Amino acid sequence: MPLPFLTADRAFDGETEDVVLPFHDRQRWRRPYRPGPHRVGLAALVLLLASFVLVAAVIIAATASVTGAWVWFGVALLLIAGALRGLRLGVWVSSAGLRHVRYFTTRTTAWSRVGTLRVVQQPVRWMGLPRTLQGQGLVLEARSGRGASSPADGPVVLLSTHNADFLGQPAAFDRASDTVEAWADEYRTAAAAEQ
């Protein structure tokens, strides 16, 4: 059921795909897909837990020691920061390059260093945990500045069919991987033309 207030800037009729509008700034970092329901649901649960911790901290501050309340305020702030970081995980693209955001690290690769991006059938991690399942992954192989593959970088799985964004949504994975590959093709040729 489409809601009229949501269709002001984007159509939700199922026939249109997510495309970058011509007036959008390509210098900004953007995720070429929407966060998946598992990622958003987990972040919502963590934020709900943080709200309970904040209420408990206020009650502790009103009835008991202020030091204990500050500890629980700190715990709530850590939960909120963790939930917000969890929502930022994934692949981000701009005209500057491709950014792979993990929970504790962020790796940015310039388009001139992006060697190949391809979808590979291989064991992938389930929801980012150590357990692996057979699935598909969008693999990045970076190259060194001279054009040869860099052995230190190695192939990196950017997206997979079993991560929190695409679990149970193979069509969304196909759309996202195609979009990232299209951005790579467009900007690799632009970077090669500038050199």
Short mmCIF file of all heavy atoms in Angstrom, two decimals, residues 120-187:
data_model
loop_
_atom_site.label_atom_id
_atom_site.label_comp_id
_atom_site.label_asym_id
_atom_site.label_seq_id
_atom_site.Cartn_x
_atom_site.Cartn_y
_atom_site.Cartn_z
N VAL A 120 30.57 -13.47 -7.24
CA VAL A 120 31.18 -14.79 -7.21
C VAL A 120 30.35 -15.69 -6.32
O VAL A 120 29.89 -15.28 -5.24
CB VAL A 120 32.62 -14.70 -6.65
CG1 VAL A 120 33.26 -16.07 -6.55
CG2 VAL A 120 33.47 -13.78 -7.50
N GLN A 121 30.13 -16.92 -6.77
CA GLN A 121 29.48 -17.94 -5.94
C GLN A 121 30.55 -18.53 -5.04
O GLN A 121 31.51 -19.12 -5.50
CB GLN A 121 28.89 -19.03 -6.85
CG GLN A 121 28.10 -20.09 -6.13
CD GLN A 121 26.69 -19.64 -5.81
OE1 GLN A 121 26.18 -18.72 -6.40
NE2 GLN A 121 26.07 -20.29 -4.86
N GLN A 122 30.40 -18.35 -3.72
CA GLN A 122 31.41 -18.80 -2.77
C GLN A 122 30.81 -18.87 -1.38
O GLN A 122 29.71 -18.38 -1.15
CB GLN A 122 32.59 -17.84 -2.77
CG GLN A 122 32.24 -16.46 -2.22
CD GLN A 122 33.44 -15.54 -2.20
OE1 GLN A 122 34.38 -15.71 -2.94
NE2 GLN A 122 33.39 -14.55 -1.32
N PRO A 123 31.53 -19.47 -0.42
CA PRO A 123 31.05 -19.41 0.97
C PRO A 123 31.11 -17.97 1.48
O PRO A 123 32.14 -17.30 1.33
CB PRO A 123 32.02 -20.31 1.73
CG PRO A 123 32.65 -21.17 0.69
CD PRO A 123 32.67 -20.37 -0.56
N VAL A 124 30.02 -17.48 2.04
CA VAL A 124 29.96 -16.12 2.58
C VAL A 124 29.54 -16.19 4.04
O VAL A 124 28.90 -17.14 4.48
CB VAL A 124 29.00 -15.23 1.77
CG1 VAL A 124 29.53 -14.98 0.39
CG2 VAL A 124 27.62 -15.83 1.72
N ARG A 125 29.88 -15.17 4.78
CA ARG A 125 29.54 -15.13 6.20
C ARG A 125 28.07 -14.82 6.37
O ARG A 125 27.51 -13.98 5.68
CB ARG A 125 30.39 -14.09 6.90
CG ARG A 125 31.87 -14.43 6.82
CD ARG A 125 32.71 -13.33 7.33
NE ARG A 125 32.73 -13.41 8.78
CZ ARG A 125 33.35 -12.51 9.55
NH1 ARG A 125 33.95 -11.50 9.01
NH2 ARG A 125 33.33 -12.65 10.84
N TRP A 126 27.46 -15.49 7.34
CA TRP A 126 26.03 -15.29 7.62
C TRP A 126 25.89 -14.17 8.63
O TRP A 126 26.37 -14.27 9.77
CB TRP A 126 25.42 -16.58 8.16
CG TRP A 126 23.96 -16.48 8.43
CD1 TRP A 126 22.95 -16.53 7.52
CD2 TRP A 126 23.34 -16.29 9.70
NE1 TRP A 126 21.75 -16.39 8.15
CE2 TRP A 126 21.95 -16.24 9.50
CE3 TRP A 126 23.83 -16.16 10.99
CZ2 TRP A 126 21.05 -16.05 10.52
CZ3 TRP A 126 22.93 -15.97 12.02
CH2 TRP A 126 21.55 -15.93 11.78
N MET A 127 25.27 -13.05 8.23
CA MET A 127 25.01 -11.89 9.09
C MET A 127 26.29 -11.36 9.74
O MET A 127 26.26 -10.82 10.85
CB MET A 127 23.99 -12.24 10.17
CG MET A 127 22.64 -12.64 9.65
SD MET A 127 21.66 -11.26 9.11
CE MET A 127 21.09 -10.63 10.67
N GLY A 128 27.43 -11.53 9.06
CA GLY A 128 28.70 -11.03 9.58
C GLY A 128 29.32 -11.90 10.65
O GLY A 128 30.37 -11.54 11.20
N LEU A 129 28.72 -13.03 10.97
CA LEU A 129 29.25 -13.93 12.00
C LEU A 129 30.23 -14.91 11.37
O LEU A 129 30.28 -15.05 10.15
CB LEU A 129 28.09 -14.67 12.67
CG LEU A 129 27.07 -13.77 13.38
CD1 LEU A 129 25.88 -14.59 13.85
CD2 LEU A 129 27.72 -13.05 14.55
N PRO A 130 31.01 -15.62 12.17
CA PRO A 130 32.00 -16.55 11.61
C PRO A 130 31.39 -17.70 10.81
O PRO A 130 32.07 -18.29 9.98
CB PRO A 130 32.74 -17.09 12.83
CG PRO A 130 32.53 -16.07 13.89
CD PRO A 130 31.19 -15.46 13.62
N ARG A 131 30.14 -18.04 11.02
CA ARG A 131 29.51 -19.14 10.29
C ARG A 131 29.39 -18.79 8.82
O ARG A 131 28.97 -17.69 8.46
CB ARG A 131 28.14 -19.42 10.88
CG ARG A 131 27.40 -20.52 10.16
CD ARG A 131 26.04 -20.74 10.75
NE ARG A 131 25.34 -21.72 9.93
CZ ARG A 131 24.05 -21.84 9.89
NH1 ARG A 131 23.29 -21.05 10.63
NH2 ARG A 131 23.48 -22.75 9.14
N THR A 132 29.76 -19.71 7.93
CA THR A 132 29.67 -19.45 6.50
C THR A 132 28.64 -20.36 5.85
O THR A 132 28.43 -21.49 6.29
CB THR A 132 31.03 -19.65 5.80
OG1 THR A 132 31.45 -20.99 6.01
CG2 THR A 132 32.06 -18.69 6.32
N LEU A 133 28.02 -19.84 4.80
CA LEU A 133 27.05 -20.57 3.99
C LEU A 133 27.39 -20.34 2.53
O LEU A 133 28.08 -19.38 2.17
CB LEU A 133 25.63 -20.05 4.25
CG LEU A 133 25.08 -20.20 5.66
CD1 LEU A 133 23.80 -19.41 5.79
CD2 LEU A 133 24.83 -21.65 5.99
N GLN A 134 26.91 -21.22 1.69
CA GLN A 134 27.13 -21.03 0.25
C GLN A 134 26.21 -19.92 -0.23
O GLN A 134 25.01 -19.94 0.01
CB GLN A 134 26.85 -22.33 -0.50
CG GLN A 134 27.31 -22.34 -1.93
CD GLN A 134 28.82 -22.24 -2.06
OE1 GLN A 134 29.56 -22.60 -1.16
NE2 GLN A 134 29.27 -21.73 -3.18
N GLY A 135 26.78 -18.95 -0.89
CA GLY A 135 26.00 -17.83 -1.39
C GLY A 135 26.77 -17.06 -2.43
O GLY A 135 27.79 -17.53 -2.96
N GLN A 136 26.32 -15.86 -2.71
CA GLN A 136 26.99 -15.00 -3.67
C GLN A 136 27.55 -13.80 -2.96
O GLN A 136 26.98 -13.32 -1.98
CB GLN A 136 26.01 -14.52 -4.75
CG GLN A 136 25.55 -15.61 -5.68
CD GLN A 136 24.62 -15.06 -6.75
OE1 GLN A 136 23.97 -14.04 -6.54
NE2 GLN A 136 24.56 -15.74 -7.87
N GLY A 137 28.67 -13.33 -3.45
CA GLY A 137 29.29 -12.15 -2.88
C GLY A 137 29.84 -11.25 -3.97
O GLY A 137 30.33 -11.72 -5.00
N LEU A 138 29.73 -9.94 -3.77
CA LEU A 138 30.35 -8.97 -4.67
C LEU A 138 31.78 -8.78 -4.19
O LEU A 138 32.01 -8.29 -3.09
CB LEU A 138 29.59 -7.65 -4.66
CG LEU A 138 30.15 -6.55 -5.56
CD1 LEU A 138 30.03 -6.95 -7.02
CD2 LEU A 138 29.45 -5.24 -5.30
N VAL A 139 32.74 -9.21 -5.00
CA VAL A 139 34.14 -9.24 -4.60
C VAL A 139 34.89 -8.11 -5.29
O VAL A 139 34.76 -7.91 -6.50
CB VAL A 139 34.77 -10.60 -4.96
CG1 VAL A 139 36.25 -10.62 -4.63
CG2 VAL A 139 34.05 -11.71 -4.22
N LEU A 140 35.68 -7.38 -4.50
CA LEU A 140 36.54 -6.31 -5.00
C LEU A 140 37.97 -6.80 -4.99
O LEU A 140 38.47 -7.27 -3.96
CB LEU A 140 36.42 -5.06 -4.13
CG LEU A 140 37.51 -4.00 -4.29
CD1 LEU A 140 37.39 -3.32 -5.64
CD2 LEU A 140 37.44 -3.00 -3.16
N GLU A 141 38.62 -6.69 -6.13
CA GLU A 141 40.05 -6.94 -6.21
C GLU A 141 40.71 -5.63 -6.59
O GLU A 141 40.54 -5.13 -7.70
CB GLU A 141 40.36 -8.02 -7.25
CG GLU A 141 39.90 -9.39 -6.83
CD GLU A 141 40.27 -10.46 -7.84
OE1 GLU A 141 41.00 -10.16 -8.79
OE2 GLU A 141 39.79 -11.59 -7.66
N ALA A 142 41.46 -5.07 -5.64
CA ALA A 142 42.12 -3.78 -5.87
C ALA A 142 43.42 -4.02 -6.61
O ALA A 142 43.99 -5.10 -6.58
CB ALA A 142 42.37 -3.08 -4.54
N ARG A 143 43.88 -2.98 -7.30
CA ARG A 143 45.17 -3.07 -7.99
C ARG A 143 46.07 -1.97 -7.47
O ARG A 143 45.61 -0.97 -6.92
CB ARG A 143 44.98 -2.97 -9.48
CG ARG A 143 44.37 -1.68 -9.94
CD ARG A 143 44.20 -1.64 -11.42
NE ARG A 143 43.45 -0.45 -11.78
CZ ARG A 143 42.81 -0.29 -12.89
NH1 ARG A 143 42.82 -1.24 -13.78
NH2 ARG A 143 42.17 0.82 -13.15
N SER A 144 47.36 -2.17 -7.65
CA SER A 144 48.31 -1.16 -7.21
C SER A 144 48.31 -0.02 -8.19
O SER A 144 47.67 -0.06 -9.23
CB SER A 144 49.70 -1.78 -7.07
OG SER A 144 50.16 -2.18 -8.34
N GLY A 145 49.07 1.00 -7.90
CA GLY A 145 49.11 2.18 -8.76
C GLY A 145 49.64 1.89 -10.14
O GLY A 145 49.38 2.61 -11.08
N ARG A 146 50.46 0.85 -10.33
CA ARG A 146 51.04 0.54 -11.63
C ARG A 146 50.10 -0.31 -12.48
O ARG A 146 50.44 -0.68 -13.58
CB ARG A 146 52.36 -0.20 -11.42
CG ARG A 146 53.41 0.69 -10.77
CD ARG A 146 54.69 -0.07 -10.57
NE ARG A 146 54.53 -1.26 -9.74
CZ ARG A 146 54.48 -1.30 -8.43
NH1 ARG A 146 54.51 -0.16 -7.75
NH2 ARG A 146 54.36 -2.43 -7.76
N GLY A 147 48.94 -0.69 -11.98
CA GLY A 147 47.99 -1.46 -12.76
C GLY A 147 48.00 -2.94 -12.46
O GLY A 147 47.11 -3.66 -12.86
N ALA A 148 48.99 -3.44 -11.73
CA ALA A 148 49.03 -4.86 -11.38
C ALA A 148 48.26 -5.08 -10.10
O ALA A 148 48.10 -4.17 -9.29
CB ALA A 148 50.48 -5.31 -11.22
N SER A 149 47.81 -6.29 -9.91
CA SER A 149 47.08 -6.60 -8.68
C SER A 149 48.02 -6.55 -7.50
O SER A 149 49.16 -6.96 -7.57
CB SER A 149 46.46 -7.99 -8.78
OG SER A 149 45.48 -7.99 -9.77
N SER A 150 47.52 -6.03 -6.40
CA SER A 150 48.31 -5.93 -5.19
C SER A 150 48.05 -7.14 -4.32
O SER A 150 46.92 -7.34 -3.88
CB SER A 150 47.95 -4.64 -4.44
OG SER A 150 48.61 -4.60 -3.20
N PRO A 151 49.08 -7.97 -4.04
CA PRO A 151 48.83 -9.17 -3.25
C PRO A 151 48.49 -8.87 -1.80
O PRO A 151 47.85 -9.66 -1.14
CB PRO A 151 50.16 -9.94 -3.37
CG PRO A 151 51.17 -8.91 -3.71
CD PRO A 151 50.46 -7.85 -4.47
N ALA A 152 48.89 -7.71 -1.31
CA ALA A 152 48.60 -7.38 0.09
C ALA A 152 47.11 -7.11 0.30
O ALA A 152 46.56 -7.38 1.35
CB ALA A 152 49.42 -6.17 0.52
N ASP A 153 46.48 -6.53 -0.71
CA ASP A 153 45.06 -6.19 -0.56
C ASP A 153 44.20 -7.44 -0.62
O ASP A 153 43.33 -7.64 0.21
CB ASP A 153 44.64 -5.20 -1.64
CG ASP A 153 45.26 -3.84 -1.44
OD1 ASP A 153 45.70 -3.57 -0.31
OD2 ASP A 153 45.31 -3.06 -2.40
N GLY A 154 44.39 -8.27 -1.60
CA GLY A 154 43.59 -9.49 -1.73
C GLY A 154 42.14 -9.16 -2.03
O GLY A 154 41.69 -8.03 -1.90
N PRO A 155 41.37 -10.16 -2.45
CA PRO A 155 39.95 -9.91 -2.72
C PRO A 155 39.17 -9.66 -1.44
O PRO A 155 39.40 -10.31 -0.42
CB PRO A 155 39.49 -11.19 -3.42
CG PRO A 155 40.54 -12.20 -3.20
CD PRO A 155 41.79 -11.51 -2.77
N VAL A 156 38.24 -8.72 -1.50
CA VAL A 156 37.42 -8.34 -0.36
C VAL A 156 35.96 -8.51 -0.75
O VAL A 156 35.54 -8.02 -1.80
CB VAL A 156 37.69 -6.88 0.06
CG1 VAL A 156 36.77 -6.46 1.20
CG2 VAL A 156 39.13 -6.68 0.42
N VAL A 157 35.19 -9.20 0.08
CA VAL A 157 33.75 -9.35 -0.17
C VAL A 157 33.05 -8.10 0.36
O VAL A 157 33.05 -7.83 1.56
CB VAL A 157 33.20 -10.62 0.50
CG1 VAL A 157 31.70 -10.72 0.27
CG2 VAL A 157 33.91 -11.85 0.00
N LEU A 158 32.49 -7.32 -0.56
CA LEU A 158 31.81 -6.09 -0.17
C LEU A 158 30.38 -6.34 0.26
O LEU A 158 29.92 -5.81 1.28
CB LEU A 158 31.82 -5.11 -1.35
CG LEU A 158 33.19 -4.68 -1.86
CD1 LEU A 158 33.03 -3.81 -3.10
CD2 LEU A 158 33.95 -3.94 -0.79
N LEU A 159 29.64 -7.10 -0.52
CA LEU A 159 28.25 -7.42 -0.25
C LEU A 159 28.07 -8.92 -0.40
O LEU A 159 28.80 -9.56 -1.14
CB LEU A 159 27.32 -6.74 -1.27
CG LEU A 159 27.42 -5.24 -1.46
CD1 LEU A 159 26.58 -4.81 -2.65
CD2 LEU A 159 26.98 -4.53 -0.22
N SER A 160 27.11 -9.47 0.31
CA SER A 160 26.80 -10.89 0.12
C SER A 160 25.29 -11.10 0.27
O SER A 160 24.58 -10.26 0.81
CB SER A 160 27.56 -11.76 1.12
OG SER A 160 27.02 -11.65 2.40
N THR A 161 24.86 -12.25 -0.23
CA THR A 161 23.43 -12.57 -0.16
C THR A 161 23.00 -12.93 1.25
O THR A 161 21.80 -13.05 1.50
CB THR A 161 23.11 -13.74 -1.09
OG1 THR A 161 23.99 -14.83 -0.79
CG2 THR A 161 23.26 -13.35 -2.54
N HIS A 162 23.94 -13.11 2.17
CA HIS A 162 23.60 -13.50 3.54
C HIS A 162 24.01 -12.46 4.58
O HIS A 162 24.15 -12.79 5.75
CB HIS A 162 24.24 -14.85 3.87
CG HIS A 162 23.63 -15.99 3.12
ND1 HIS A 162 23.99 -16.31 1.84
CD2 HIS A 162 22.65 -16.85 3.46
CE1 HIS A 162 23.29 -17.35 1.43
NE2 HIS A 162 22.45 -17.69 2.39
N ASN A 163 24.23 -11.21 4.17
CA ASN A 163 24.49 -10.20 5.19
C ASN A 163 23.17 -9.55 5.62
O ASN A 163 22.11 -9.88 5.12
CB ASN A 163 25.53 -9.18 4.71
CG ASN A 163 25.05 -8.27 3.62
OD1 ASN A 163 23.89 -8.30 3.24
ND2 ASN A 163 25.94 -7.46 3.11
N ALA A 164 23.24 -8.63 6.55
CA ALA A 164 22.02 -8.09 7.16
C ALA A 164 21.19 -7.26 6.19
O ALA A 164 20.00 -7.04 6.43
CB ALA A 164 22.39 -7.24 8.37
N ASP A 165 21.78 -6.83 5.09
CA ASP A 165 21.01 -6.02 4.13
C ASP A 165 20.26 -6.87 3.12
O ASP A 165 19.22 -6.45 2.61
CB ASP A 165 21.94 -5.07 3.38
CG ASP A 165 22.47 -3.97 4.27
OD1 ASP A 165 21.69 -3.46 5.09
OD2 ASP A 165 23.66 -3.64 4.16
N PHE A 166 20.76 -8.07 2.81
CA PHE A 166 20.18 -8.83 1.70
C PHE A 166 19.75 -10.24 2.08
O PHE A 166 19.43 -11.02 1.19
CB PHE A 166 21.20 -8.91 0.55
CG PHE A 166 21.67 -7.57 0.10
CD1 PHE A 166 22.96 -7.16 0.34
CD2 PHE A 166 20.80 -6.70 -0.53
CE1 PHE A 166 23.39 -5.92 -0.07
CE2 PHE A 166 21.22 -5.45 -0.93
CZ PHE A 166 22.52 -5.06 -0.70
N LEU A 167 19.71 -10.58 3.33
CA LEU A 167 19.30 -11.92 3.75
C LEU A 167 17.85 -12.15 3.33
O LEU A 167 16.94 -11.43 3.74
CB LEU A 167 19.45 -12.09 5.26
CG LEU A 167 19.20 -13.48 5.79
CD1 LEU A 167 20.24 -14.46 5.23
CD2 LEU A 167 19.26 -13.50 7.30
N GLY A 168 17.63 -13.13 2.49
CA GLY A 168 16.28 -13.44 2.01
C GLY A 168 15.78 -12.52 0.92
O GLY A 168 14.61 -12.56 0.58
N GLN A 169 16.66 -11.68 0.35
CA GLN A 169 16.27 -10.74 -0.70
C GLN A 169 17.26 -10.81 -1.87
O GLN A 169 18.06 -9.90 -2.08
CB GLN A 169 16.22 -9.32 -0.16
CG GLN A 169 15.24 -9.12 0.94
CD GLN A 169 15.27 -7.70 1.45
OE1 GLN A 169 16.09 -6.89 1.06
NE2 GLN A 169 14.35 -7.38 2.32
N PRO A 170 17.24 -11.90 -2.62
CA PRO A 170 18.22 -12.02 -3.71
C PRO A 170 18.06 -10.96 -4.80
O PRO A 170 19.04 -10.54 -5.41
CB PRO A 170 17.97 -13.43 -4.26
CG PRO A 170 16.61 -13.80 -3.82
CD PRO A 170 16.36 -13.06 -2.54
N ALA A 171 16.85 -10.50 -5.04
CA ALA A 171 16.65 -9.47 -6.07
C ALA A 171 17.28 -8.15 -5.65
O ALA A 171 17.87 -7.44 -6.46
CB ALA A 171 15.16 -9.28 -6.34
N ALA A 172 17.20 -7.82 -4.36
CA ALA A 172 17.82 -6.60 -3.86
C ALA A 172 19.34 -6.69 -3.96
O ALA A 172 20.02 -5.70 -4.27
CB ALA A 172 17.39 -6.34 -2.42
N PHE A 173 19.89 -7.89 -3.70
CA PHE A 173 21.33 -8.08 -3.84
C PHE A 173 21.76 -7.89 -5.29
O PHE A 173 22.77 -7.23 -5.56
CB PHE A 173 21.75 -9.46 -3.35
CG PHE A 173 23.18 -9.80 -3.66
CD1 PHE A 173 24.21 -9.26 -2.91
CD2 PHE A 173 23.50 -10.62 -4.72
CE1 PHE A 173 25.53 -9.54 -3.21
CE2 PHE A 173 24.81 -10.91 -5.03
CZ PHE A 173 25.83 -10.37 -4.27
N ASP A 174 21.02 -8.45 -6.21
CA ASP A 174 21.35 -8.30 -7.63
C ASP A 174 21.31 -6.84 -8.06
O ASP A 174 22.20 -6.35 -8.77
CB ASP A 174 20.39 -9.12 -8.50
CG ASP A 174 20.57 -10.61 -8.32
OD1 ASP A 174 21.66 -11.03 -7.87
OD2 ASP A 174 19.62 -11.36 -8.62
N ARG A 175 20.28 -6.11 -7.61
CA ARG A 175 20.18 -4.69 -7.95
C ARG A 175 21.34 -3.89 -7.37
O ARG A 175 21.94 -3.06 -8.06
CB ARG A 175 18.86 -4.12 -7.41
CG ARG A 175 17.84 -3.84 -8.45
CD ARG A 175 16.65 -3.04 -7.95
NE ARG A 175 16.34 -3.13 -6.55
CZ ARG A 175 15.47 -3.99 -6.01
NH1 ARG A 175 14.85 -4.86 -6.78
NH2 ARG A 175 15.22 -3.99 -4.73
N ALA A 176 21.68 -4.16 -6.10
CA ALA A 176 22.76 -3.41 -5.45
C ALA A 176 24.11 -3.71 -6.09
O ALA A 176 24.91 -2.80 -6.34
CB ALA A 176 22.80 -3.74 -3.96
N SER A 177 24.38 -4.98 -6.37
CA SER A 177 25.67 -5.32 -6.98
C SER A 177 25.77 -4.75 -8.39
O SER A 177 26.83 -4.27 -8.80
CB SER A 177 25.88 -6.83 -6.99
OG SER A 177 24.86 -7.48 -7.71
N ASP A 178 24.67 -4.76 -9.15
CA ASP A 178 24.68 -4.16 -10.48
C ASP A 178 24.93 -2.65 -10.40
O ASP A 178 25.65 -2.09 -11.23
CB ASP A 178 23.36 -4.42 -11.21
CG ASP A 178 23.20 -5.87 -11.63
OD1 ASP A 178 24.22 -6.61 -11.62
OD2 ASP A 178 22.07 -6.28 -11.94
N THR A 179 24.34 -2.00 -9.41
CA THR A 179 24.53 -0.56 -9.25
C THR A 179 25.97 -0.23 -8.90
O THR A 179 26.55 0.70 -9.47
CB THR A 179 23.58 -0.01 -8.16
OG1 THR A 179 22.24 -0.36 -8.49
CG2 THR A 179 23.71 1.48 -8.02
N VAL A 180 26.57 -0.98 -7.98
CA VAL A 180 27.97 -0.74 -7.61
C VAL A 180 28.88 -0.99 -8.80
O VAL A 180 29.81 -0.22 -9.07
CB VAL A 180 28.38 -1.61 -6.40
CG1 VAL A 180 29.86 -1.50 -6.13
CG2 VAL A 180 27.60 -1.21 -5.16
N GLU A 181 28.62 -2.04 -9.56
CA GLU A 181 29.42 -2.32 -10.75
C GLU A 181 29.26 -1.22 -11.80
O GLU A 181 30.23 -0.85 -12.47
CB GLU A 181 29.04 -3.68 -11.34
CG GLU A 181 29.50 -4.85 -10.51
CD GLU A 181 28.97 -6.18 -11.01
OE1 GLU A 181 28.02 -6.19 -11.83
OE2 GLU A 181 29.52 -7.21 -10.59
N ALA A 182 28.06 -0.67 -11.94
CA ALA A 182 27.84 0.41 -12.90
C ALA A 182 28.60 1.67 -12.49
O ALA A 182 29.21 2.33 -13.34
CB ALA A 182 26.35 0.71 -13.02
N TRP A 183 28.57 2.00 -11.19
CA TRP A 183 29.34 3.15 -10.71
C TRP A 183 30.83 2.91 -10.97
O TRP A 183 31.55 3.82 -11.38
CB TRP A 183 29.11 3.35 -9.22
CG TRP A 183 27.91 4.18 -8.89
CD1 TRP A 183 26.61 3.81 -9.01
CD2 TRP A 183 27.89 5.49 -8.36
NE1 TRP A 183 25.79 4.81 -8.58
CE2 TRP A 183 26.55 5.86 -8.18
CE3 TRP A 183 28.87 6.39 -8.01
CZ2 TRP A 183 26.18 7.09 -7.68
CZ3 TRP A 183 28.50 7.63 -7.50
CH2 TRP A 183 27.16 7.96 -7.34
N ALA A 184 31.30 1.70 -10.73
CA ALA A 184 32.71 1.39 -10.94
C ALA A 184 33.09 1.55 -12.40
O ALA A 184 34.14 2.14 -12.71
CB ALA A 184 33.01 -0.02 -10.45
N ASP A 185 32.28 1.03 -13.30
CA ASP A 185 32.58 1.16 -14.73
C ASP A 185 32.63 2.62 -15.15
O ASP A 185 33.51 3.04 -15.90
CB ASP A 185 31.54 0.41 -15.56
CG ASP A 185 31.66 -1.10 -15.42
OD1 ASP A 185 32.74 -1.56 -14.99
OD2 ASP A 185 30.68 -1.81 -15.71
N GLU A 186 31.66 3.39 -14.67
CA GLU A 186 31.60 4.80 -15.06
C GLU A 186 32.80 5.58 -14.55
O GLU A 186 33.43 6.34 -15.29
CB GLU A 186 30.31 5.42 -14.53
CG GLU A 186 30.15 6.88 -14.84
CD GLU A 186 28.87 7.46 -14.27
OE1 GLU A 186 27.98 6.70 -13.85
OE2 GLU A 186 28.77 8.70 -14.24
N TYR A 187 33.15 5.39 -13.28
CA TYR A 187 34.20 6.21 -12.69
C TYR A 187 35.60 5.68 -12.96
O TYR A 187 36.56 6.43 -12.93
CB TYR A 187 33.95 6.39 -11.19
CG TYR A 187 32.88 7.41 -10.96
CD1 TYR A 187 31.63 7.05 -10.49
CD2 TYR A 187 33.10 8.75 -11.26
CE1 TYR A 187 30.64 7.98 -10.31
CE2 TYR A 187 32.12 9.69 -11.08
CZ TYR A 187 30.89 9.31 -10.60
OH TYR A 187 29.92 10.24 -10.44
#
